[in-house]
Amino acid sequence: MKMKKYFCYPFFFILFLLSVTPAVSVMAQEPTPSDDQVNAIASQMFCPICENTPLDVCPTDACRDWRELIRQMLAQGKTTAEIQQYFVDHYGARVLSEPPGKGFNILLYIAPGVVIIIGVFFLFLGVFLIWILPSKKPGTGVAANSEPTTQDKYASHLEEELRKRS
Amino acid sequence: MLAQFGFGVLVVTFALALFSAGAAIFGYFSKSDRWVESARRAVQLTFPLISLSALALIYMLLSGHFDLEYVYSVTSRDMPAYLKVTALWGGQAGSLVFWSWLMSAFATAVTLRKWDRDREFLPWVVVVTAVTLAFFLALVIFFENPFVRLWQTISGEVLPQMFAPAGARLFTPSDGRGLNELLRHPGMVFHPPMLYLGFVAFVIPYAFAIAALVTGRTDDRWIRLTRRWTLVAWLFLSIGLVLGMWWAYRVLGWGGYWAWDPVEVAALMPWLVGTPFLHTVMIQEKRGMFKRLNMLLIMLTYGMVIYGTFLTRSGVFSSVHAFAQSAIGPMFFGFIGFSMAASVILLIYRWNTMKSEVSLGDTSVFSREAFFLLAALFFGAIFIICFWNVLFPLISEIVTNQKMSIGPVVYKRETALFWGGLLALMGIAPLSSWTWASFKTISRAIWKPAIPAVLVTVILLVAGMRNVIALIGLTLIAFVIAVALYEFGRGTLARARTKKENFLIALWRLAGRNRRRYGGYIIHLAMVAMAVGVIGIEVFQQQTQQTLKINQEIQISGYTLRYDSLYKFPYPDGRQVTLAELTVYKDGKSLGKLSPRYDVYPDGQPMTIPAIRSTLADDLYVVLVNWENVSEQQTPFKVYHNPLVNWMWIGSVIFVLGSLVAAWPEKTELEMSRYK
């Protein structure tokens, strides 16, 4: 019984080898990359001719040929970066949907970030100066106004109502 | 004859608009009411006059006057009548006439109102609307004239000119080139007019803002007068944007509705500054705060309206060099520069008179005012990103002489956080109160609506959802819905109890008594419905492209699509149609057929028409790709599975309802108008 069990292992091993062999031979002949693999790269690029049209959906003949070129390059084992670089070398950086942040173009990524960081800085500064700092000092800011007199309460309430109804 | 008439009327209207602006300024400074009245009447004349010109052009578009260069370039005999009318805004020259037409309509409408109480604003409202109108008419008359005709010289050369060159004869081509195939869609009827209506309507609150600055009456009167105009402008702009998305989804065959194309972003930018304006004006009305911010926002909105029109109409995206060659570009830039400089100078001039009546320090950091301000900052951040990403490729091309494209991935990465922040604020801000709220009061208010939100998260986790962005987004959406319903429920119950009304009547009357507030909540519900659609497509979209033979199948997200048949046939208008038929199955059950097709027009222009199976849960979107050499043995299909995308369109319908509720006059206003 035990022997029978061990006998099974080489059998399965041979079966496994037999099943894998055709796959290996196909791989050696470079399988054609699927449309989905091509589109995964093309969707990150723009058509070099049509304005702002992603390469994966562009219906022109030229774009179909470029998609085929991507397929061939994939079959040759080229990486996404290499394929993108090929297109940049031939058609310029406009084919990339995410322009490289090099040289002058670094401003594309830096400028809004700097503006927003400055904005956030002033926001926190404002919160600190307007709300936090006065509340720590007795008799100023919110603390000073947090308990208005009955007269003030009435006047402000009246003003508020008049404003809402005018 | 009709062409000269249409052009002549435009010239007269241009002169009238200039006169109107001049008379209003003169009347204001010389304190002469007669001059101001004359200016007002002159503006009111512009609408009937431009109507004559526009109707003349529409008539020529409909009747195939191909001797007009514009008619020749945007229509053809085979086009249906409705598309010939839409060709009015299908080309640059016609769309500028259309813009002017709408502007004159709004200028006339605003000057027709009773001005007894606010007469000091009148001259400057006239000046701003008339100058804006004059600018667009100048573009039409001097640079982009749709009434230019085609002339054949003795040498046989065909020249487009308004008036006949010496010895030339009128040249009438037998047929026109026709409207771009992508524009031959019912979407063309509504999308551009809605967008333009939104653009033009925003000129009115801006005109009042300038009037307030010049006259020094910078209290909240100008805001109260323009509240409804602003809401209407915002509604039209929003509908225009959504219709554009719907059209793109149905026609382009890209599997989505928004591609962050610069032209799309150009139309979004006025919305990004107009939306916080709609919110912060409430604070000025209630508390006399943010006066300067409101001025800045409406100025920016006006600037973006002109800038957006410029970006979409100048062809600048094809090439900045084309822009430099066309006269229209520098004119636009000059006008934007002039109007923004004049606005900022006025704002600085009145800066000290526009102090907040209440110090920000006297409101709590958790007050509704503070949250509104934070929302305005989030919108501001998205606006800065969009503005820069649209402008930078143009700057880069000038500096480096290299073109650049900025794809959706950049926009999504840079703006996602702020959109999420806005979603969170839509939930939190309504729970806060004006002037004073503390962390404690917010926490006390938050826990009830937070329960369903947490429940949704738990359900999603149990159901196996592990995508963090989707989990956060859907939790926030559940929270905003819970808050809006909680606010409705709380108000209705209180009213039902105190007034002894039944629940439905109490709900109706509650919304009726405070339309702006509850209309706002409905709009929030609409926005989250749209957010559901956005999350569905952004996070869960699946796609695959496969080449099939007849009877082969594609599997995607639990669906099976079997390729049944292929048809190729000519259409009467000359199109060559390639149509495939697929049967959709789920769990072995047939759900119906889908027929994606590909039309190739006689001029070689291809057009993909996706087939869409749409339900509340998801869309199955099938496109026929690479139409050439398609045979029954080899047909390439691209299939998208777009979960929840229908909520985008459902949200837009709720949105229109909410806006109408918010814009509907309050009962007290109607009663007051009766006594005026």
Side-chain angles (χ1 to χ4, degrees), chain A residues 36 39 51 59 67 94 97-98 105 107 123 131 142 145 163 166, chain B residues 224 285-286 357 361-363 396 404-405 407 413 544-545 627:
Chain A
D36 288 342
N39 284 340
E51 291 300 322
R67 286 194 290 268
R94 61 177 292 200
S97 77
E98 197 176 352
N105 290 346
L107 279 175
L123 180 71
W131 284 296
V142 180
N145 293 299
R163 190 186 296 284
S166 64
Chain B
R224 287 175 186 277
E285 281 178 45
K286 285 188 192 296
E357 288 161 33
D362 290 341
T363 54
S396 172
M404 161 196 278
S405 320
R413 192 180 52 219
T544 183
Q545 184 175 325
W627 68 103

PDB file of all heavy atoms in Angstrom, chain A residues 36 39 51 59 67 94 97-98 105 107 123 131 142 145 163 166, chain B residues 224 285-286 357 361-363 396 404-405 407 413 544-545 627:
ATOM      1  N   ASP A  36      -5.336  43.517 -24.088  1.00  0.00           N
ATOM      2  CA  ASP A  36      -5.387  44.138 -22.770  1.00  0.00           C
ATOM      3  C   ASP A  36      -4.002  44.587 -22.308  1.00  0.00           C
ATOM      4  O   ASP A  36      -3.860  45.645 -21.698  1.00  0.00           O
ATOM      5  CB  ASP A  36      -6.007  43.177 -21.739  1.00  0.00           C
ATOM      6  CG  ASP A  36      -7.505  43.011 -21.967  1.00  0.00           C
ATOM      7  OD1 ASP A  36      -8.088  43.875 -22.667  1.00  0.00           O
ATOM      8  OD2 ASP A  36      -8.076  42.039 -21.466  1.00  0.00           O
ATOM      9  N   ASN A  39      -3.256  47.670 -24.340  1.00  0.00           N
ATOM     10  CA  ASN A  39      -4.042  48.820 -23.888  1.00  0.00           C
ATOM     11  C   ASN A  39      -3.571  49.361 -22.546  1.00  0.00           C
ATOM     12  O   ASN A  39      -3.677  50.555 -22.278  1.00  0.00           O
ATOM     13  CB  ASN A  39      -5.525  48.445 -23.790  1.00  0.00           C
ATOM     14  CG  ASN A  39      -6.176  48.386 -25.151  1.00  0.00           C
ATOM     15  OD1 ASN A  39      -5.662  48.964 -26.106  1.00  0.00           O
ATOM     16  ND2 ASN A  39      -7.285  47.672 -25.254  1.00  0.00           N
ATOM     17  N   GLU A  51      -5.355  65.659 -30.849  1.00  0.00           N
ATOM     18  CA  GLU A  51      -5.199  66.402 -29.609  1.00  0.00           C
ATOM     19  C   GLU A  51      -5.883  65.679 -28.450  1.00  0.00           C
ATOM     20  O   GLU A  51      -7.075  65.371 -28.532  1.00  0.00           O
ATOM     21  CB  GLU A  51      -5.838  67.792 -29.751  1.00  0.00           C
ATOM     22  CG  GLU A  51      -5.110  68.719 -30.686  1.00  0.00           C
ATOM     23  CD  GLU A  51      -3.683  68.987 -30.256  1.00  0.00           C
ATOM     24  OE1 GLU A  51      -3.437  69.105 -29.058  1.00  0.00           O
ATOM     25  OE2 GLU A  51      -2.815  69.070 -31.144  1.00  0.00           O
ATOM     26  N   PRO A  59      -9.251  56.165 -32.768  1.00  0.00           N
ATOM     27  CA  PRO A  59      -9.689  55.268 -33.844  1.00  0.00           C
ATOM     28  C   PRO A  59      -8.898  55.397 -35.145  1.00  0.00           C
ATOM     29  O   PRO A  59      -9.214  54.715 -36.106  1.00  0.00           O
ATOM     30  CB  PRO A  59     -11.140  55.713 -34.065  1.00  0.00           C
ATOM     31  CG  PRO A  59     -11.160  57.156 -33.707  1.00  0.00           C
ATOM     32  CD  PRO A  59     -10.072  57.397 -32.718  1.00  0.00           C
ATOM     33  N   ARG A  67      -0.389  50.952 -31.823  1.00  0.00           N
ATOM     34  CA  ARG A  67      -0.737  49.911 -30.844  1.00  0.00           C
ATOM     35  C   ARG A  67      -0.079  48.584 -31.247  1.00  0.00           C
ATOM     36  O   ARG A  67       0.383  47.826 -30.399  1.00  0.00           O
ATOM     37  CB  ARG A  67      -2.264  49.766 -30.728  1.00  0.00           C
ATOM     38  CG  ARG A  67      -2.919  50.913 -29.972  1.00  0.00           C
ATOM     39  CD  ARG A  67      -4.351  50.598 -29.584  1.00  0.00           C
ATOM     40  NE  ARG A  67      -5.250  50.554 -30.714  1.00  0.00           N
ATOM     41  CZ  ARG A  67      -5.958  51.592 -31.161  1.00  0.00           C
ATOM     42  NH1 ARG A  67      -5.873  52.756 -30.548  1.00  0.00           N
ATOM     43  NH2 ARG A  67      -6.762  51.473 -32.193  1.00  0.00           N
ATOM     44  N   ARG A  94       4.981  64.832 -25.557  1.00  0.00           N
ATOM     45  CA  ARG A  94       3.520  65.006 -25.550  1.00  0.00           C
ATOM     46  C   ARG A  94       2.773  63.679 -25.596  1.00  0.00           C
ATOM     47  O   ARG A  94       1.576  63.624 -25.327  1.00  0.00           O
ATOM     48  CB  ARG A  94       3.079  65.874 -26.723  1.00  0.00           C
ATOM     49  CG  ARG A  94       3.416  65.276 -28.071  1.00  0.00           C
ATOM     50  CD  ARG A  94       2.903  66.123 -29.196  1.00  0.00           C
ATOM     51  NE  ARG A  94       1.448  66.097 -29.230  1.00  0.00           N
ATOM     52  CZ  ARG A  94       0.740  66.409 -30.299  1.00  0.00           C
ATOM     53  NH1 ARG A  94       1.330  66.776 -31.389  1.00  0.00           N
ATOM     54  NH2 ARG A  94      -0.576  66.370 -30.265  1.00  0.00           N
ATOM     55  N   SER A  97       1.012  60.700 -20.877  1.00  0.00           N
ATOM     56  CA  SER A  97      -0.106  61.350 -20.195  1.00  0.00           C
ATOM     57  C   SER A  97       0.349  61.939 -18.865  1.00  0.00           C
ATOM     58  O   SER A  97      -0.347  62.731 -18.264  1.00  0.00           O
ATOM     59  CB  SER A  97      -1.264  60.377 -19.999  1.00  0.00           C
ATOM     60  OG  SER A  97      -0.986  59.517 -18.942  1.00  0.00           O
ATOM     61  N   GLU A  98       1.518  61.541 -18.438  1.00  0.00           N
ATOM     62  CA  GLU A  98       2.088  62.127 -17.228  1.00  0.00           C
ATOM     63  C   GLU A  98       3.468  62.660 -17.600  1.00  0.00           C
ATOM     64  O   GLU A  98       4.438  61.906 -17.642  1.00  0.00           O
ATOM     65  CB  GLU A  98       2.192  61.053 -16.143  1.00  0.00           C
ATOM     66  CG  GLU A  98       2.383  61.640 -14.783  1.00  0.00           C
ATOM     67  CD  GLU A  98       2.387  60.572 -13.703  1.00  0.00           C
ATOM     68  OE1 GLU A  98       2.088  59.408 -14.010  1.00  0.00           O
ATOM     69  OE2 GLU A  98       2.706  60.925 -12.564  1.00  0.00           O
ATOM     70  N   ASN A 105       9.815  71.736 -17.059  1.00  0.00           N
ATOM     71  CA  ASN A 105       8.515  71.131 -16.767  1.00  0.00           C
ATOM     72  C   ASN A 105       8.325  70.724 -15.311  1.00  0.00           C
ATOM     73  O   ASN A 105       7.231  70.352 -14.908  1.00  0.00           O
ATOM     74  CB  ASN A 105       8.279  69.924 -17.672  1.00  0.00           C
ATOM     75  CG  ASN A 105       8.067  70.368 -19.097  1.00  0.00           C
ATOM     76  OD1 ASN A 105       7.837  71.556 -19.348  1.00  0.00           O
ATOM     77  ND2 ASN A 105       8.172  69.446 -20.034  1.00  0.00           N
ATOM     78  N   LEU A 107       8.167  72.672 -13.068  1.00  0.00           N
ATOM     79  CA  LEU A 107       7.243  73.696 -12.549  1.00  0.00           C
ATOM     80  C   LEU A 107       5.806  73.205 -12.560  1.00  0.00           C
ATOM     81  O   LEU A 107       4.987  73.623 -11.750  1.00  0.00           O
ATOM     82  CB  LEU A 107       7.339  74.962 -13.405  1.00  0.00           C
ATOM     83  CG  LEU A 107       8.511  75.897 -13.100  1.00  0.00           C
ATOM     84  CD1 LEU A 107       8.538  77.027 -14.116  1.00  0.00           C
ATOM     85  CD2 LEU A 107       8.369  76.468 -11.698  1.00  0.00           C
ATOM     86  N   LEU A 123      -3.471  79.117   6.450  1.00  0.00           N
ATOM     87  CA  LEU A 123      -4.690  78.617   7.074  1.00  0.00           C
ATOM     88  C   LEU A 123      -4.424  78.300   8.548  1.00  0.00           C
ATOM     89  O   LEU A 123      -5.146  78.746   9.435  1.00  0.00           O
ATOM     90  CB  LEU A 123      -5.177  77.372   6.339  1.00  0.00           C
ATOM     91  CG  LEU A 123      -6.449  76.739   6.877  1.00  0.00           C
ATOM     92  CD1 LEU A 123      -7.640  77.623   6.564  1.00  0.00           C
ATOM     93  CD2 LEU A 123      -6.678  75.367   6.264  1.00  0.00           C
ATOM     94  N   TRP A 131      -8.172  82.055  16.410  1.00  0.00           N
ATOM     95  CA  TRP A 131      -8.951  81.262  17.374  1.00  0.00           C
ATOM     96  C   TRP A 131      -8.152  80.780  18.584  1.00  0.00           C
ATOM     97  O   TRP A 131      -8.589  80.920  19.716  1.00  0.00           O
ATOM     98  CB  TRP A 131      -9.582  80.057  16.677  1.00  0.00           C
ATOM     99  CG  TRP A 131     -10.774  80.426  15.856  1.00  0.00           C
ATOM    100  CD1 TRP A 131     -11.951  80.947  16.312  1.00  0.00           C
ATOM    101  CD2 TRP A 131     -10.916  80.305  14.441  1.00  0.00           C
ATOM    102  NE1 TRP A 131     -12.811  81.158  15.265  1.00  0.00           N
ATOM    103  CE2 TRP A 131     -12.211  80.772  14.111  1.00  0.00           C
ATOM    104  CE3 TRP A 131     -10.092  79.861  13.418  1.00  0.00           C
ATOM    105  CZ2 TRP A 131     -12.694  80.802  12.815  1.00  0.00           C
ATOM    106  CZ3 TRP A 131     -10.575  79.879  12.123  1.00  0.00           C
ATOM    107  CH2 TRP A 131     -11.847  80.351  11.832  1.00  0.00           C
ATOM    108  N   VAL A 142     -12.711  84.976  21.695  1.00  0.00           N
ATOM    109  CA  VAL A 142     -13.962  84.249  21.912  1.00  0.00           C
ATOM    110  C   VAL A 142     -14.352  84.292  23.375  1.00  0.00           C
ATOM    111  O   VAL A 142     -15.503  84.492  23.716  1.00  0.00           O
ATOM    112  CB  VAL A 142     -13.815  82.775  21.457  1.00  0.00           C
ATOM    113  CG1 VAL A 142     -15.102  82.027  21.672  1.00  0.00           C
ATOM    114  CG2 VAL A 142     -13.396  82.723  20.002  1.00  0.00           C
ATOM    115  N   ASN A 145     -16.111  87.272  24.315  1.00  0.00           N
ATOM    116  CA  ASN A 145     -17.447  87.422  23.755  1.00  0.00           C
ATOM    117  C   ASN A 145     -18.353  86.232  24.030  1.00  0.00           C
ATOM    118  O   ASN A 145     -19.468  86.200  23.562  1.00  0.00           O
ATOM    119  CB  ASN A 145     -17.336  87.618  22.244  1.00  0.00           C
ATOM    120  CG  ASN A 145     -16.670  88.935  21.919  1.00  0.00           C
ATOM    121  OD1 ASN A 145     -17.177  89.984  22.286  1.00  0.00           O
ATOM    122  ND2 ASN A 145     -15.529  88.869  21.287  1.00  0.00           N
ATOM    123  N   ARG A 163     -31.559  90.917   9.607  1.00  0.00           N
ATOM    124  CA  ARG A 163     -30.751  90.589   8.433  1.00  0.00           C
ATOM    125  C   ARG A 163     -31.382  89.446   7.632  1.00  0.00           C
ATOM    126  O   ARG A 163     -31.456  89.487   6.411  1.00  0.00           O
ATOM    127  CB  ARG A 163     -29.349  90.173   8.885  1.00  0.00           C
ATOM    128  CG  ARG A 163     -28.375  90.039   7.728  1.00  0.00           C
ATOM    129  CD  ARG A 163     -27.073  89.483   8.226  1.00  0.00           C
ATOM    130  NE  ARG A 163     -26.401  90.362   9.158  1.00  0.00           N
ATOM    131  CZ  ARG A 163     -25.745  91.454   8.785  1.00  0.00           C
ATOM    132  NH1 ARG A 163     -25.697  91.794   7.520  1.00  0.00           N
ATOM    133  NH2 ARG A 163     -25.142  92.212   9.671  1.00  0.00           N
ATOM    134  N   SER A 166     -34.641  90.813   5.892  1.00  0.00           N
ATOM    135  CA  SER A 166     -34.633  91.953   4.957  1.00  0.00           C
ATOM    136  C   SER A 166     -34.574  91.452   3.523  1.00  0.00           C
ATOM    137  O   SER A 166     -34.103  90.377   3.245  1.00  0.00           O
ATOM    138  CB  SER A 166     -33.473  92.855   5.235  1.00  0.00           C
ATOM    139  OG  SER A 166     -32.275  92.169   5.012  1.00  0.00           O
TER     140      SER A 166
ATOM    141  N   ARG B 224     -28.020  89.965  -2.384  1.00  0.00           N
ATOM    142  CA  ARG B 224     -29.443  89.603  -2.301  1.00  0.00           C
ATOM    143  C   ARG B 224     -30.124  89.781  -3.664  1.00  0.00           C
ATOM    144  O   ARG B 224     -30.974  88.983  -4.046  1.00  0.00           O
ATOM    145  CB  ARG B 224     -30.152  90.470  -1.255  1.00  0.00           C
ATOM    146  CG  ARG B 224     -29.769  90.076   0.136  1.00  0.00           C
ATOM    147  CD  ARG B 224     -30.361  90.990   1.176  1.00  0.00           C
ATOM    148  NE  ARG B 224     -29.815  90.626   2.467  1.00  0.00           N
ATOM    149  CZ  ARG B 224     -30.270  89.639   3.222  1.00  0.00           C
ATOM    150  NH1 ARG B 224     -31.296  88.913   2.819  1.00  0.00           N
ATOM    151  NH2 ARG B 224     -29.702  89.361   4.370  1.00  0.00           N
ATOM    152  N   GLU B 285     -24.611  87.445   3.808  1.00  0.00           N
ATOM    153  CA  GLU B 285     -26.004  87.832   4.061  1.00  0.00           C
ATOM    154  C   GLU B 285     -26.350  87.730   5.531  1.00  0.00           C
ATOM    155  O   GLU B 285     -26.991  88.585   6.100  1.00  0.00           O
ATOM    156  CB  GLU B 285     -26.948  86.917   3.272  1.00  0.00           C
ATOM    157  CG  GLU B 285     -27.076  87.266   1.811  1.00  0.00           C
ATOM    158  CD  GLU B 285     -27.991  86.294   1.104  1.00  0.00           C
ATOM    159  OE1 GLU B 285     -29.058  85.985   1.645  1.00  0.00           O
ATOM    160  OE2 GLU B 285     -27.620  85.830   0.009  1.00  0.00           O
ATOM    161  N   LYS B 286     -25.916  86.639   6.148  1.00  0.00           N
ATOM    162  CA  LYS B 286     -26.320  86.381   7.527  1.00  0.00           C
ATOM    163  C   LYS B 286     -25.478  87.136   8.537  1.00  0.00           C
ATOM    164  O   LYS B 286     -25.959  87.573   9.567  1.00  0.00           O
ATOM    165  CB  LYS B 286     -26.254  84.876   7.819  1.00  0.00           C
ATOM    166  CG  LYS B 286     -27.400  84.111   7.197  1.00  0.00           C
ATOM    167  CD  LYS B 286     -27.396  82.672   7.666  1.00  0.00           C
ATOM    168  CE  LYS B 286     -28.341  81.830   6.851  1.00  0.00           C
ATOM    169  NZ  LYS B 286     -29.743  82.215   6.991  1.00  0.00           N
ATOM    170  N   GLU B 357     -18.210  92.699   9.254  1.00  0.00           N
ATOM    171  CA  GLU B 357     -18.949  93.328  10.346  1.00  0.00           C
ATOM    172  C   GLU B 357     -18.741  92.542  11.634  1.00  0.00           C
ATOM    173  O   GLU B 357     -18.904  93.062  12.723  1.00  0.00           O
ATOM    174  CB  GLU B 357     -20.433  93.383   9.986  1.00  0.00           C
ATOM    175  CG  GLU B 357     -20.710  94.403   8.906  1.00  0.00           C
ATOM    176  CD  GLU B 357     -22.031  94.187   8.204  1.00  0.00           C
ATOM    177  OE1 GLU B 357     -22.983  93.719   8.864  1.00  0.00           O
ATOM    178  OE2 GLU B 357     -22.117  94.476   6.997  1.00  0.00           O
ATOM    179  N   GLY B 361     -12.752  85.947  14.667  1.00  0.00           N
ATOM    180  CA  GLY B 361     -12.438  85.474  16.016  1.00  0.00           C
ATOM    181  C   GLY B 361     -13.669  85.329  16.894  1.00  0.00           C
ATOM    182  O   GLY B 361     -13.658  84.598  17.881  1.00  0.00           O
ATOM    183  N   ASP B 362     -14.742  86.040  16.518  1.00  0.00           N
ATOM    184  CA  ASP B 362     -15.965  85.949  17.316  1.00  0.00           C
ATOM    185  C   ASP B 362     -16.835  84.771  16.894  1.00  0.00           C
ATOM    186  O   ASP B 362     -17.930  84.572  17.412  1.00  0.00           O
ATOM    187  CB  ASP B 362     -16.774  87.245  17.192  1.00  0.00           C
ATOM    188  CG  ASP B 362     -16.061  88.380  17.897  1.00  0.00           C
ATOM    189  OD1 ASP B 362     -15.192  88.085  18.730  1.00  0.00           O
ATOM    190  OD2 ASP B 362     -16.358  89.549  17.589  1.00  0.00           O
ATOM    191  N   THR B 363     -16.369  84.047  15.878  1.00  0.00           N
ATOM    192  CA  THR B 363     -17.085  82.832  15.511  1.00  0.00           C
ATOM    193  C   THR B 363     -16.192  81.656  15.880  1.00  0.00           C
ATOM    194  O   THR B 363     -14.978  81.788  15.875  1.00  0.00           O
ATOM    195  CB  THR B 363     -17.356  82.780  14.002  1.00  0.00           C
ATOM    196  OG1 THR B 363     -16.118  82.942  13.353  1.00  0.00           O
ATOM    197  CG2 THR B 363     -18.311  83.838  13.553  1.00  0.00           C
ATOM    198  N   SER B 396       4.722  76.010 -21.472  1.00  0.00           N
ATOM    199  CA  SER B 396       5.832  75.107 -21.762  1.00  0.00           C
ATOM    200  C   SER B 396       6.152  75.098 -23.259  1.00  0.00           C
ATOM    201  O   SER B 396       7.315  75.077 -23.658  1.00  0.00           O
ATOM    202  CB  SER B 396       5.473  73.696 -21.292  1.00  0.00           C
ATOM    203  OG  SER B 396       6.432  72.785 -21.710  1.00  0.00           O
ATOM    204  N   MET B 404       3.048  69.366 -24.893  1.00  0.00           N
ATOM    205  CA  MET B 404       2.936  68.520 -23.703  1.00  0.00           C
ATOM    206  C   MET B 404       1.463  68.201 -23.467  1.00  0.00           C
ATOM    207  O   MET B 404       0.595  69.012 -23.753  1.00  0.00           O
ATOM    208  CB  MET B 404       3.499  69.310 -22.526  1.00  0.00           C
ATOM    209  CG  MET B 404       3.091  68.815 -21.185  1.00  0.00           C
ATOM    210  SD  MET B 404       3.406  70.013 -19.915  1.00  0.00           S
ATOM    211  CE  MET B 404       5.090  69.731 -19.616  1.00  0.00           C
ATOM    212  N   SER B 405       1.191  67.006 -22.990  1.00  0.00           N
ATOM    213  CA  SER B 405      -0.192  66.652 -22.664  1.00  0.00           C
ATOM    214  C   SER B 405      -0.246  66.292 -21.180  1.00  0.00           C
ATOM    215  O   SER B 405       0.688  65.674 -20.666  1.00  0.00           O
ATOM    216  CB  SER B 405      -0.644  65.439 -23.469  1.00  0.00           C
ATOM    217  OG  SER B 405      -0.162  65.506 -24.783  1.00  0.00           O
ATOM    218  N   GLY B 407      -2.484  64.184 -18.652  1.00  0.00           N
ATOM    219  CA  GLY B 407      -3.558  63.201 -18.652  1.00  0.00           C
ATOM    220  C   GLY B 407      -4.331  63.146 -17.353  1.00  0.00           C
ATOM    221  O   GLY B 407      -3.963  63.787 -16.363  1.00  0.00           O
ATOM    222  N   ARG B 413      -4.667  62.436  -9.245  1.00  0.00           N
ATOM    223  CA  ARG B 413      -3.755  62.345  -8.108  1.00  0.00           C
ATOM    224  C   ARG B 413      -3.733  63.655  -7.316  1.00  0.00           C
ATOM    225  O   ARG B 413      -3.744  63.655  -6.095  1.00  0.00           O
ATOM    226  CB  ARG B 413      -2.354  62.012  -8.624  1.00  0.00           C
ATOM    227  CG  ARG B 413      -1.397  61.609  -7.530  1.00  0.00           C
ATOM    228  CD  ARG B 413      -0.031  61.276  -8.063  1.00  0.00           C
ATOM    229  NE  ARG B 413       0.470  62.346  -8.904  1.00  0.00           N
ATOM    230  CZ  ARG B 413       1.155  62.154 -10.031  1.00  0.00           C
ATOM    231  NH1 ARG B 413       1.393  60.943 -10.466  1.00  0.00           N
ATOM    232  NH2 ARG B 413       1.582  63.166 -10.749  1.00  0.00           N
ATOM    233  N   THR B 544     -11.851  44.883 -21.088  1.00  0.00           N
ATOM    234  CA  THR B 544     -11.059  43.882 -21.808  1.00  0.00           C
ATOM    235  C   THR B 544     -11.278  44.069 -23.304  1.00  0.00           C
ATOM    236  O   THR B 544     -12.348  44.513 -23.726  1.00  0.00           O
ATOM    237  CB  THR B 544     -11.432  42.445 -21.382  1.00  0.00           C
ATOM    238  OG1 THR B 544     -10.577  41.533 -22.083  1.00  0.00           O
ATOM    239  CG2 THR B 544     -12.874  42.091 -21.700  1.00  0.00           C
ATOM    240  N   GLN B 545     -10.246  43.772 -24.070  1.00  0.00           N
ATOM    241  CA  GLN B 545     -10.375  43.836 -25.523  1.00  0.00           C
ATOM    242  C   GLN B 545     -10.004  42.475 -26.091  1.00  0.00           C
ATOM    243  O   GLN B 545      -8.940  41.939 -25.764  1.00  0.00           O
ATOM    244  CB  GLN B 545      -9.463  44.920 -26.086  1.00  0.00           C
ATOM    245  CG  GLN B 545      -9.628  45.087 -27.592  1.00  0.00           C
ATOM    246  CD  GLN B 545      -8.817  46.237 -28.147  1.00  0.00           C
ATOM    247  OE1 GLN B 545      -8.641  47.259 -27.497  1.00  0.00           O
ATOM    248  NE2 GLN B 545      -8.303  46.071 -29.351  1.00  0.00           N
ATOM    249  N   TRP B 627     -12.212  49.082 -37.064  1.00  0.00           N
ATOM    250  CA  TRP B 627     -13.299  48.682 -37.954  1.00  0.00           C
ATOM    251  C   TRP B 627     -12.843  48.140 -39.306  1.00  0.00           C
ATOM    252  O   TRP B 627     -13.584  47.448 -39.958  1.00  0.00           O
ATOM    253  CB  TRP B 627     -14.209  49.882 -38.167  1.00  0.00           C
ATOM    254  CG  TRP B 627     -13.557  50.970 -38.951  1.00  0.00           C
ATOM    255  CD1 TRP B 627     -13.790  51.240 -40.258  1.00  0.00           C
ATOM    256  CD2 TRP B 627     -12.569  51.890 -38.520  1.00  0.00           C
ATOM    257  NE1 TRP B 627     -13.007  52.282 -40.670  1.00  0.00           N
ATOM    258  CE2 TRP B 627     -12.249  52.703 -39.619  1.00  0.00           C
ATOM    259  CE3 TRP B 627     -11.909  52.110 -37.317  1.00  0.00           C
ATOM    260  CZ2 TRP B 627     -11.302  53.715 -39.545  1.00  0.00           C
ATOM    261  CZ3 TRP B 627     -10.976  53.125 -37.246  1.00  0.00           C
ATOM    262  CH2 TRP B 627     -10.677  53.908 -38.343  1.00  0.00           C
TER     263      TRP B 627
END
